[in-house]
Amino acid sequence: MKPKLLALFLLISVGVKAQTKQIEYYNKDLGLKEVFTVSDSVKNIKEGAFKQFPGPGSGNSTEGYYHNNLKDGVWKYYYRDLLVAEGYYTADKKVGIWVGYTRGFERLKYDFTKQELLAYIPATIDTVQKFKALIPSADTVFDRKPIYINGMVNFANNLLRGVRYPALARGSVTHYETK
């Protein structure tokens, strides 16, 4: 009985493997190469392992898993071959405890399920500085500066993506002076 079950399992796994196709895609906008698996029948739905490699001038890489085109399972983010963050996704949402690293050292633990900061080890410069609120009437002094939970690399990337220059600054509009 066991040999028959093993043979059936092997046939099913070979059949499932035959129904997927590995795709290599180069994203020119981000300068990144992506490698992922899709179904032969539905080519726009990612399923299985995903890797993103840096292109020229980029140091970011990522590895994780997709299920039905949604991030699912363990994901790891790297900057110049150093791990900067790792944690779990379920149905494209961060869940559980995520760990952030700086130069290979664990600096941050955040529980996305409970939305609770579990651990934070400040950089050396943060321990000698005092941070005051910008509100003139407040006499509040904080023991640390604000933390961007998704990491400073992601903060910088999000900030850069969100910058929209006016047409005049982009040079798209010609400015004429009247006399």
Side-chain angles (χ1 to χ4, degrees):
M1 181 71 181
K2 287 184 181 181
K4 288 180 184 178
L5 285 174
L6 180 61
L8 180 63
F9 176 74
L10 289 173
L11 285 173
I12 290 172
S13 62
V14 168
V16 169
K17 180 67 176 167
Q19 295 174 0
T20 61
K21 180 179 180 182
Q22 187 172 7
I23 304 288
E24 290 188 15
Y25 170 73
Y26 182 72
N27 186 330
K28 293 178 187 175
D29 295 333
L30 299 175
L32 298 169
K33 177 182 172 184
E34 296 178 351
V35 177
F36 52 91
T37 307
V38 296
S39 168
D40 276 341
S41 58
V42 186
K43 294 189 181 354
N44 61 344
I45 295 182
K46 295 176 185 170
E47 185 69 44
F50 171 86
K51 288 192 178 187
Q52 190 177 59
F53 303 97
S58 171
N60 301 330
S61 62
T62 305
E63 60 185 47
Y65 296 91
Y66 275 96
H67 179 64
N68 288 331
N69 218 33
L70 300 173
K71 291 179 180 177
D72 201 59
V74 178
W75 278 71
K76 294 182 179 184
Y77 295 89
Y78 299 90
Y79 180 71
R80 300 185 188 219
D81 296 330
L82 289 174
L83 183 64
V84 292
E86 67 179 330
Y88 294 91
Y89 279 96
T90 298
D92 224 25
K93 291 187 178 184
K94 289 183 176 181
V95 295
I97 298 172
W98 277 70
V99 181
Y101 301 91
T102 302
R103 295 184 191 96
F105 296 101
E106 186 178 296
R107 288 284 175 98
L108 175 79
K109 274 190 180 179
Y110 188 81
D111 188 335
F112 277 89
T113 305
K114 296 178 182 176
Q115 296 201 355
E116 179 181 9
L117 182 63
L118 302 175
Y120 174 69
I121 300 170
T124 309
I125 194 166
D126 293 342
T127 58
V128 271
Q129 294 179 342
K130 295 283 185 192
F131 302 95
K132 291 187 177 184
L134 296 177
I135 303 167
S137 63
D139 291 332
T140 307
V141 176
F142 300 100
D143 59 346
R144 64 170 169 77
K145 65 183 180 180
I147 302 168
Y148 187 71
I149 297 298
N150 290 323
M152 289 309 293
V153 171
N154 284 330
F155 175 75
N157 287 339
N158 289 336
L159 187 63
L160 290 173
R161 279 189 217 119
V163 172
R164 300 286 182 249
Y165 287 99
L168 187 60
R170 288 192 309 260
S172 302
V173 174
T174 308
H175 180 69
Y176 295 101
E177 288 187 30
T178 56
K179 291 185 179 186

